[in-house]
Amino acid sequence: MLKKARKQPIAFAFSPGKSEEDSYLGMDHRKPAKMLGKDAKEQGEGNKHAFGTAVLDGKLLILTCEREMPSLAKRLKKYLGTQKVKVNVQVLDASGNLLEEDVEDLPDDPEMDADEADDETTATPAPGAAPEPAAAPGDNSQVPADRPAVTRMLVERLNALRPKIEATPASFAEKLVAAQNGIVDQIRKGDIEQAETNLARLEQTLSRVAAAQNGAASAEPAASAQWKKIVGQLQSDVPAALAGGVADPARLRAVWDFAQGKAAAGDFEAALRAADALIPLMAPLAAPAAPKVSTVAFQRSRIVWLDAKRKMKSELDKLAAAIAAQTADDEDKAEIALIAEEMLAEFDQFDERLEDLLDEITSAEEGPARVALRKRAHAVIGQYLQVLDSPFFRAVDDNPFTSVAVASTARQSLGTVQKTLA
């Protein structure tokens, strides 16, 4: 595997054991690094592991890590020494920044040196990877003096694009694979400059595709989840409103059909907008007179809800800080930090709709307009209560890190607002 690592980056995973005999090292030129990392975690006897790609440059083994661990350079170099492999080790993060290294003057190793000489004269490209190109006979004018190093860099960048290409839609993937194969041919022919240009274009294209996919992925699930939370209630409310008598039943049916059609087509944003339009259309012809409520009560309810949201955010910040402090030495602290960020993102489901509606109610005249607004506010509170019934909010106040009052604060405040709206 180290011999192959001279020609192209190969995946590696390492998990040190209590003794060198118990350590786990996996290297493969076909499997992705994450798969080897999973093997290291499951098969290694230690509780820490790292994985990424490895390149051997002379006597220096350069590791570019997707997952890091402390003292990786020292521990891997020591382990390789027990396997009679004498190399220096340098560790980089995913962005190429130097994290650590264990480098010294090493004695010549006849076997390793012989392997390196064989590689330079009889290199055979690994399946699917760009080979070390040879210049056309008699024409070295456009080949850089440091061609092997430049080629290794191009190959590493090209191989890093494979998982990104595989993640693109099928309509894009075929063209991207063709572009990738064209770059491989250019490297084989020694056309380094053109390969570099085309590789940069391919990287830019993949970045744009990924950005578009991320934007769509971040918006659609939220709208889809919100639609799923309200559609069941609408399926009972709309027929009930039609049976009880509404001012414009034909329009109510049309808007309801439109909302369901948009949801079936996957356009949940449009379905939600139509759902908002349904609320005033479901008002009964002869609405019972609502008890007159002072606008001061609505203003106070709005303040109560805003204060509750501020307290909830403060409590979540407190919980995130406690998690970070108590897991500072954990090997999975990077993943835990992401979980903390996702936890704070849960709070974003409590958007500004309720305070906006309470503000509108305050300025609306007593009568049908205010009745419709109050009904909409009740519907939003119902959605918030469904959010509070999710596994996260059911467990957050009983977390093992610190005492907080997030869900309880929200429920108490929403209960107060509901009484005002009743």
Side-chain angles (χ1 to χ4, degrees), residues 96 209 284:
V209 172

Side-chain angles (χ1 to χ4, degrees), residues 83-162:
Q83 307 301 308
K84 300 181 179 180
V85 176
K86 303 293 185 183
V87 293
N88 290 316
V89 179
Q90 187 178 76
V91 179
L92 312 177
D93 65 15
S95 301
N97 301 309
L98 179 64
L99 298 178
E100 57 179 274
E101 60 184 358
D102 191 331
V103 177
E104 61 180 325
D105 289 332
L106 294 175
D108 292 337
D109 185 332
E111 183 176 352
M112 291 286 285
D113 293 344
D115 285 344
E116 184 172 11
D118 290 343
D119 289 346
E120 292 178 355
T121 57
T122 62
T124 302
E132 186 75 22
D139 181 13
N140 295 317
S141 58
Q142 295 186 6
V143 179
D146 58 347
R147 189 192 66 197
V150 174
T151 301
R152 277 196 295 270
M153 178 186 69
L154 290 177
V155 171
E156 184 171 359
R157 287 169 58 190
L158 193 59
N159 288 338
L161 296 182
R162 289 179 184 170

